[in-house]
């Protein structure tokens, strides 16, 4: 199996879901697809397309820059924090190596964090609680403040 999904948030936890992916190129579209599928029932007011794009960038970076001596995985988790959505991407790389670049016009790479910085309310990079690195972004006003917590069931 190339991935696992945790789509059952527990009471009292702000986590809406998580996925674990192998560090291979196929994991990038898989991360977008599964995020879209499992965030939709929560009916966010923010752009799911923008979030999926930022997830693509961060998962790509995690795959490109994650390093470990043993087999490793990329972990993506998403949370509701009051009216905001926070998405975390974890990998076994080194937190100090995460930085926003200023690519030249003809550079093929180096725009991922610039894109995240331009779309998200905020972003963060640092040590992961799993070891390695976490890079996260927050989207403000993802839900109205008066909306209850939980998926919309039809």
């Amino acid at each position: 199996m190339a991935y696992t999904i945790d789509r059952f948030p527990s009471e009292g936890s702000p986590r809406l879901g998580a996925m674990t992916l192998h560090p291979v190129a196929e994991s990038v579209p898989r991360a977008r697809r599964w995020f879209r599928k499992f965030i939709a029932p929560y009916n966010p007011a923010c752009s799911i397309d923008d979030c999926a794009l930022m997830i693509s960038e961060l998962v790509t970076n995690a795959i490109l820059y994650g390093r470990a001596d043993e087999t490793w995985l990329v972990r993506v988790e998403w949370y509701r924090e009051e009216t905001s959505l926070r998405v975390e991407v974890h990998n076994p790389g080194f937190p100090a190596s995460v930085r926003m670049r200023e690519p030249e016009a003809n550079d093929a790479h180096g725009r991922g964090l610039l894109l995240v910085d331009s779309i998200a309310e905020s972003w963060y990079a640092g040590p992961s609680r799993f070891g390695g690195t976490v890079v996260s972004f927050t989207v403000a006003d993802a839900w109205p403040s008066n909306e209850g917590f939980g998926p919309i069931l039809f």
Side-chain angles (χ1 to χ4, degrees):
M1 176 181 278
Y3 59 92
T4 59
I5 301 291
D6 172 5
R7 63 180 176 166
F8 302 105
S10 60
E11 283 297 316
S13 171
R15 193 176 86 189
L16 302 178
M19 66 183 103
T20 306
L21 306 155
H22 286 277
V24 294
E26 300 84 42
S27 290
V28 176
R30 184 170 286 135
R32 284 192 308 265
R33 186 172 53 252
W34 285 104
F35 174 78
R36 287 176 194 274
K37 180 176 181 172
F38 292 114
I39 199 67
Y42 293 95
N43 198 27
C46 62
S47 169
I48 294 175
D49 290 340
D50 283 354
C51 292
L53 176 61
M54 291 188 287
I55 288 170
S56 290
E57 294 297 331
L58 296 186
V59 170
T60 298
N61 285 351
I63 291 168
L64 290 174
Y65 302 113
R67 297 286 179 263
D69 292 333
E70 65 279 345
T71 302
W72 58 278
L73 299 169
V74 174
R75 182 164 180 83
V76 181
E77 298 183 329
W78 50 98
Y79 299 83
R80 179 175 178 170
E81 295 176 335
E82 297 179 11
T83 62
S84 296
L85 170 67
R86 181 172 47 89
V87 176
E88 298 178 350
V89 178
H90 301 264
N91 74 68
F94 300 103
S97 66
V98 177
R99 62 182 174 81
M100 197 161 29
R101 297 187 177 136
E102 295 182 20
E104 299 292 325
N106 59 350
D107 288 344
H109 302 284
R111 292 176 179 78
L113 286 176
L114 283 170
L115 188 130
V116 171
D117 187 62
S118 70
I119 297 172
E121 176 75 18
S122 63
W123 66 276
Y124 165 82
S128 168
R129 67 183 173 280
F130 300 111
T133 301
V134 62
V135 181
S136 65
F137 65 83
T138 301
V139 177
D141 302 322
W143 289 276
S145 60
N146 60 350
E147 185 178 297
F149 179 80
I152 296 174
L153 303 174
F154 297 99

